[in-house]
Amino acid sequence: MTTVAAQVKKLTMIQAITDAMKTMMKEDDSVLILGEDVGINGGVFRATEGLIEEFGDERVVDTPLAESGIVGTSVGLAVNGFKPICEMQFFGFIYPAFNQLITHATRMRQRSLGRYTVPMVIRAPYGAGVKAPEIHSDSVEALFTHIPGLKVVTPSNPYDAKGLLIASIEDPDPVLFIEPMRCYRTGRTQVPDEKYAVELGKAATVKEGTDVTILTWGAMVQDTVKAVEKWEAGKDASCEIIDLRTLYPLDKETIRKSVEKTGRAVVVHEAPETGGVSGDVISLINDAAFFYLKAPVQKVTGFDTPVPVYSLELDYLPSAQKIIHAVEQTLQY
Amino acid sequence: MEKQFPIVQYVDEDGQLVKDDARLDKEQLYQFYRAMLRARMMDKKCLNLQRQGRIGTYVQYEGQEAAQVGSALAVEDGDWMFPTYRDHAATMTFGHSLTNLFLYWKGRLEGSIPPEGKNIFPPAVPIASQLLHATGTAWAEKKKKSDRVSIAYFGDGATSEGDFHEGLNFASVFNIPVVFFNQNNGYAISVPMEKQMKSKTIAQKGLAYDIPSIRVDGNDILAVYFETEKAVERARSGGGPTLIEAVTWRYGAHTTADDPSKYRNQQESDQRRQTTDPILRIERLLNNQGWWNEAAVKEMQEEITDEMNDALQASESVEKPDLNQLFDNVFAEPTWTIEEQRMKHNRISKEVGQ
Ligand SMILES: Cc1ncc(C[n+]2csc(CCOP(=O)(O)OP(=O)(O)O)c2C)c(N)n1
């Protein structure tokens, strides 16, 4: 056997996602892809590009246009030995499949006391800022973090995208893998050729800092980094930025340690405010680091309104100004 | 459409054979009879237990025994069965244990667990959702190049749900070995067929998907058995899905929590007991063949009573599960959230003395 030094190449997030699926399909014959236009067309975002040529239409399946059908039949496939990766064309079109997900996929393990299990991944592009039509940009991760039996994962860069998707495919339970559309093609990073996993349930410290912890995910990670870098120039305060990466289960330790260190926290997400994941993050901070807090935790979020179509979508998204405003608020205490 | 989809009958209401080429052997008839009797006795038992408060709300099927039992006898070990809340006559015929059935109605997860080697899904509660699981599971069998098939049970109301249509469409497009077994008992809770759909038959819905579809007399176990067997055979040999509409009737309420006199004339049910009853029909057939054996039937009843009593006793001696069971099997490995909630619950329940 010859060993080859690990190869790395620069990939966009969408390429890294393709690479993850390809890696797993090569390794494990039971991995299948099901979705609308995932075959010849390679998916509307090209996430499955080239896969039907390599693996054939028995493994990369262009299904009828029916989300409940995709997820429901995948429950059967998963119980019976396969590992389906379901592509929802957009996160906003997962609603017809919600029933299958909540009433079957995520509770089959318990309903059958472990006899039947559903190792399946649902991938869905999400988030505003790409001028998509109505419904396409919904950011409804909190609907899913509330479902018992489901892990919810979202990458913010190509390296994580590959590693998190591989870990999701290898997970023995259903995983919802939501992909911030805005990050699909903005920038390339080094992605190893080989198989590697980024553990689910672990956040990443994107940037170290001493005075305020900012907790965020998805496309808001890059926005936050940019806003903070600009703001920090010439200030003697600094922010620590944490990319949560997995929204259920949250990484309690990383959150606790960071807030213990900084004593201040801001949660940033583009999803609507009420009932958002921010509520869980703040409750976790209360539980784990209350006595370290120097200021109430702030949140910067979207509104409790439908995600607007593009004339207003940038106003809907948390802006750099709003993020910095919240940081400064916490510093005033 | 009713002409295009005539109701297939093998034995008429008087117990006369109406199909010349029907295979008939005494032993098999007695097997059918016994399985239906067992199903009916079990249903009655559960109804009584519910009235005594020994099990929870119960979903009865009396009147539908031929449909459930006949179809269940047509599938084999290794095949997959997808029941609804009403199809325990099918599951017990396929091999589900009576003890577990009692446990199920006592609200125990253990009750959904089929015996080793039997592929029976937990009963589906959301209407029509199981049709997709049956399709997916059979799709997996097809991919594995086995000859195993799925049978999915559902009611007339279920055909209005999207999952019914998505299930048929997927099965048709990918030529999946699945038998869609409909029990048309005329009602979806209070809503009669004619308010559920304008189509006169359910079988005709298969036309749109190019799926071979038939209507059978759901109270004629021979018709149900032999026609399901054909569908299973077609599926096994690569011929794809079939839709079977078994036209039947349930005498009782939708569930023990419901009062049927509010939405239907119960006189009709009483009348049907005298005429179209599936068990009476096979008794008449046995009689007409000169095969009726009073003593054998009595012995059967006694055996079934003993079996039920043993199962009931076994189910009642199973201890109440610890609440900790709830935290198991949510994920393969519990997340920290679940572990923490488990510990907190155990700590607080000790503190408050529960
Ligand atoms: C998705 C969904 N909606 C509503 C219900 C409540 N419900 C339970 S049974 C039933 C009627 C079902 O009728 P049918 O499919 O004809 O089956 P039957 O009970 O007659 O066997 C309804 C509406 C449900 N269980 N699932």
Side-chain angles (χ1 to χ4, degrees):
Chain A
M1 207 176 92
T2 50
T3 46
V4 187
Q7 298 277 319
V8 286
K9 52 192 175 211
K10 287 202 143 192
L11 298 183
T12 60
M13 180 189 280
I14 196 82
Q15 290 169 330
I17 286 166
T18 312
D19 199 34
M21 289 191 278
K22 194 166 157 173
T23 305
M24 292 307 288
M25 289 186 88
K26 268 194 199 148
E27 181 182 283
D28 182 350
D29 283 346
S30 72
V31 177
L32 308 174
I33 295 173
L34 290 91
E36 295 155 10
D37 307 295
V38 297
I40 313 287
N41 195 32
V44 291
F45 288 101
R46 305 284 173 268
T48 51
E49 183 130 74
L51 298 182
I52 193 165
E53 286 81 358
E54 188 165 350
F55 301 104
D57 62 3
E58 280 282 313
R59 295 189 61 201
V60 181
V61 185
D62 267 327
T63 65
L65 208 171
E67 290 74 17
S68 184
I70 295 168
V71 173
T73 53
S74 289
V75 169
L77 285 161
V79 162
N80 201 4
F82 288 88
K83 291 197 184 113
I85 305 172
C86 305
E87 178 174 296
M88 296 289 112
Q89 207 151 59
F90 291 86
F91 198 21
F93 300 133
I94 199 173
Y95 309 130
F98 197 72
N99 176 49
Q100 282 293 340
L101 193 60
I102 195 164
T103 64
H104 291 292
T106 54
R107 61 176 93 200
M108 191 60 75
R109 180 183 288 279
Q110 189 171 73
R111 292 175 74 212
S112 68
L113 289 176
R115 165 76 72 98
Y116 300 126
T117 62
V118 180
M120 133 176 149
V121 176
I122 299 175
R123 293 182 37 246
Y126 84 110
V130 297
K131 301 193 171 132
E134 199 195 354
I135 323 276
H136 290 65
S137 308
D138 284 14
S139 187
V140 284
E141 55 270 32
L143 294 180
F144 297 88
T145 54
H146 196 64
I147 301 180
L150 184 66
K151 291 181 185 129
V152 181
V153 177
T154 179
S156 69
N157 61 68
Y159 179 89
D160 283 356
K162 179 171 175 182
L164 287 169
L165 184 51
I166 286 175
S168 301
I169 297 168
E170 290 190 318
D171 195 278
D173 291 304
V175 177
L176 175 67
F177 191 86
I178 53 174
E179 302 163 4
M181 280 185 269
R182 204 140 56 86
C183 301
Y184 270 159
R185 293 195 169 82
T186 50
R188 294 166 184 269
T189 58
Q190 305 265 331
V191 175
D193 243 355
E194 73 215 13
K195 178 182 160 188
Y196 64 91
V198 171
E199 193 184 342
L200 305 187
K202 292 275 178 277
T205 306
V206 176
K207 174 188 169 307
E208 304 224 3
T210 53
D211 303 285
V212 183
T213 299
I214 305 181
L215 303 126
T216 186
W217 57 89
M220 292 316 300
V221 173
Q222 292 317 317
D223 291 6
T224 303
V225 169
K226 271 190 217 136
V228 162
E229 273 171 357
K230 207 163 149 205
W231 173 79
E232 277 180 356
K235 291 259 178 352
D236 55 4
S238 68
C239 296
E240 181 142 303
I241 301 174
I242 291 179
D243 175 1
L244 292 176
R245 297 198 294 202
T246 298
L247 304 180
Y248 187 91
L250 288 168
D251 181 350
K252 183 178 177 179
E253 273 314 288
T254 302
I255 298 172
R256 179 185 62 79
K257 279 193 195 130
S258 179
V259 178
E260 280 182 5
K261 177 171 83 175
T262 61
R264 297 181 182 86
V266 175
V267 189
V268 179
H269 64 63
E270 63 173 273
E273 174 169 357
T274 302
V277 176
S278 52
D280 286 308
V281 175
I282 294 169
S283 142
L284 190 154
I285 292 171
N286 274 339
D287 275 352
F290 180 75
F291 292 108
Y292 294 83
L293 284 179
K294 298 174 191 147
V297 181
Q298 299 281 324
K299 53 184 171 178
V300 188
T301 69
F303 310 118
D304 290 3
T305 66
V307 179
V309 284
Y310 81 92
S311 69
L312 281 176
E313 69 178 330
L314 295 181
D315 304 284
Y316 169 92
L317 287 173
S319 60
Q321 292 87 327
K322 281 187 182 168
I323 296 168
I324 295 311
H325 177 73
V327 167
E328 289 181 338
Q329 289 274 301
T330 66
L331 284 166
Q332 276 169 19
Y333 281 85
Chain B
M1 275 298 166
E2 283 159 300
K3 281 213 188 92
Q4 205 171 326
F5 293 97
I7 296 182
V8 177
Q9 225 182 27
Y10 281 48
V11 179
D12 72 11
E13 276 144 36
D14 301 323
Q16 300 294 345
L17 267 187
V18 290
K19 203 163 183 312
D20 310 331
D21 58 344
R23 282 187 272 142
L24 254 201
D25 90 50
K26 187 176 166 189
E27 218 166 284
Q28 191 173 35
L29 274 193
Y30 265 98
Q31 184 205 358
F32 289 172
Y33 182 69
R34 188 183 199 287
M36 278 204 285
L37 193 64
R38 182 166 172 262
R40 177 155 301 180
M41 288 170 71
M42 189 65 182
D43 190 62
K44 289 211 154 110
K45 182 90 187 170
C46 288
L47 205 60
N48 284 335
L49 292 171
Q50 192 278 335
R51 299 281 183 250
Q52 296 163 23
R54 286 160 78 186
I55 63 173
T57 301
Y58 173 71
V59 184
Q60 59 266 58
Y61 52 74
E62 196 191 15
Q64 301 183 206
E65 290 89 348
Q68 292 193 26
V69 170
S71 53
L73 286 170
V75 285
E76 293 170 5
D77 282 6
D79 292 335
W80 293 81
M81 180 174 281
F82 297 80
T84 73
Y85 46 76
R86 196 186 301 288
D87 301 312
H88 19 294
T91 61
M92 66 188 261
T93 303
F94 192 46
H96 203 70
S97 84
L98 299 193
T99 306
N100 277 11
L101 265 181
F102 285 128
L103 284 173
Y104 180 81
W105 294 110
K106 284 173 186 293
R108 297 288 299 263
L109 289 170
E110 293 84 345
S112 293
I113 311 301
E116 208 50 57
K118 293 278 182 182
N119 295 319
I120 307 175
F121 254 45
V125 172
I127 301 298
S129 55
Q130 72 281 10
L131 303 197
L132 290 167
H133 310 153
T135 303
T137 309
W139 197 358
E141 295 294 347
K142 184 179 176 198
K143 285 179 173 300
K144 294 194 250 181
K145 305 210 181 336
S146 89
D147 66 352
R148 292 292 150 220
V149 307
S150 292
I151 186 165
Y153 290 87
F154 56 104
D156 37 293
T159 67
S160 299
E161 288 276 3
D163 280 2
F164 164 79
H165 297 275
E166 297 189 24
L168 263 64
N169 191 40
F170 270 67
S172 163
V173 168
F174 298 107
N175 199 42
I176 292 170
V178 52
V179 178
F180 296 109
F181 192 89
N182 170 257
Q183 291 167 83
N184 180 356
N185 63 15
Y187 284 86
I189 310 188
S190 66
V191 179
M193 222 356 224
E194 61 275 14
K195 282 198 181 159
Q196 188 70 242
M197 63 192 81
K198 200 165 176 190
S199 39
K200 292 279 187 298
T201 75
I202 282 164
Q204 76 195 64
K205 295 179 191 236
L207 266 185
Y209 301 101
D210 219 0
I211 291 180
S213 308
I214 50 158
R215 294 181 99 195
V216 297
D217 183 334
N219 295 342
D220 170 359
I221 190 168
L222 268 71
V224 173
Y225 175 80
F226 288 115
E227 294 302 319
T228 310
E229 198 184 43
K230 280 187 209 162
V232 167
E233 211 27 65
R234 169 159 53 234
R236 268 201 220 302
S237 56
T242 303
L243 171 62
I244 299 177
E245 173 187 354
V247 182
T248 182
W249 185 263
R250 91 181 123 71
Y251 299 131
H254 174 71
T255 72
T256 51
D258 149 82
D259 170 12
S261 66
K262 270 175 68 183
Y263 54 77
R264 84 179 186 195
N265 180 355
Q266 277 302 97
Q267 260 177 351
E268 189 174 355
S269 273
D270 297 340
Q271 245 162 35
R272 283 176 184 251
R273 276 186 189 279
Q274 311 308 318
T275 53
T276 64
D277 184 77
I279 295 185
L280 268 185
R281 185 170 319 184
I282 194 168
E283 283 179 359
R284 288 172 184 152
L285 173 67
L286 284 167
N287 238 324
N288 292 340
Q289 299 290 317
W291 291 340
W292 180 250
N293 180 340
E294 193 78 46
V297 171
K298 205 149 186 270
E299 198 181 307
M300 261 181 212
Q301 285 170 337
E302 279 161 13
E303 280 167 16
I304 294 166
T305 305
D306 288 346
E307 184 196 2
M308 285 194 309
N309 288 338
D310 290 350
L312 181 62
Q313 212 173 21
S315 74
E316 291 191 329
S317 65
V318 176
E319 267 177 53
K320 182 174 182 282
D322 194 284
L323 186 74
N324 276 290
Q325 186 193 60
L326 211 55
F327 300 106
D328 298 331
N329 289 307
V330 180
F331 294 104
E333 288 293 325
T335 56
W336 69 265
T337 53
I338 289 176
E339 274 312 317
E340 221 171 60
Q341 287 164 26
R342 181 206 300 272
M343 285 185 316
K344 187 171 169 188
H345 160 76
N346 287 332
R347 193 184 67 238
I348 292 175
S349 59
K350 234 181 242 152
E351 280 167 22
V352 301
Q354 266 180 358

